[in-house]
Amino acid sequence: MKYLLTLFITVFSFLPLAQAAKYEENTHYEVIKEVATQEPEVMEYFSYFCPHCYKFYPFVAQIKERVDPGVTFKKNHVEFLGGDMGPELTRAFAVAEVLKVEPELSQAMFSAIHDKKQRMANVDDVKAVFETIGINGEKYDSVAKSFSVNGKLKQMARNTEQAEIRGTPAIVVNGKYKVIARSVPSLEEYSALVNYLVKKTD
């Protein structure tokens, strides 16, 4: 993944053969489920603690621009990074989604952890980041234990287990195909592979 991200940072020219490439199971992607989702989707598994996720974060928007319209992009925070704070930051992500401030929170949280080197040792540290985007601690507390947030936590844990996610960032397309990142060394090729999997019907 580090190799992929290094190449992403370097500007790549478009490779004409990328979209015409023949992608193979277990070389470019893994099949993790028998049945695909009814609607096309791209699920990003990540953690705020993950430095590679921080570097990958801006490229997701660029991948989205290169994928066919109508594809839904989703995010799934994982709990297995960050020790005891892994679940706490997963809850923070769920709170941000419920409050419809996820993009703002993600940018602020990534910056706090990886740019400013702030420790996330307890929920007060988490609330402090929410404060920077205009959400006070009282508002956070009122949502953090809500039915909606708890439902999101259960769903994200279930998604992570079913997709057998062991490292991040990871991309799963249509709930069925997990991208093997090392197989595609450029942003254009990565996007082309995602687009191929979005349309795949077998």
Side-chain angles (χ1 to χ4, degrees), residues 19-93:
Q19 293 188 7
K22 177 176 174 59
Y23 299 111
E24 298 180 354
E25 183 179 343
N26 297 324
T27 297
H28 300 95
Y29 63 91
E30 301 173 35
V31 177
I32 60 173
K33 195 175 181 181
E34 291 186 6
V35 180
T37 54
Q38 291 186 342
E39 300 297 330
E41 68 171 45
V42 174
M43 179 79 79
E44 175 195 1
Y45 291 84
F46 80 105
S47 168
Y48 290 129
F49 285 115
C50 168
H52 301 311
C53 297
Y54 170 53
K55 293 178 181 179
F56 189 68
Y57 178 68
F59 295 109
V60 176
Q62 296 182 47
I63 292 170
K64 186 175 182 178
E65 291 176 355
R66 290 165 168 79
V67 173
D68 289 352
V71 178
T72 300
F73 277 70
K74 300 179 179 180
K75 294 183 178 182
N76 195 114
H77 197 279
V78 301
E79 296 186 352
F80 55 75
L81 294 177
D84 292 341
M85 287 301 293
E88 197 63 57
L89 286 197
T90 303
R91 185 177 295 277
F93 171 76

Side-chain angles (χ1 to χ4, degrees), residues 168-186:
T168 55
I171 294 291
V172 174
V173 179
N174 293 352
K176 181 175 182 177
Y177 309 107
K178 182 161 59 177
V179 172
I180 299 177
R182 65 179 180 274
S183 71
V184 279
S186 77

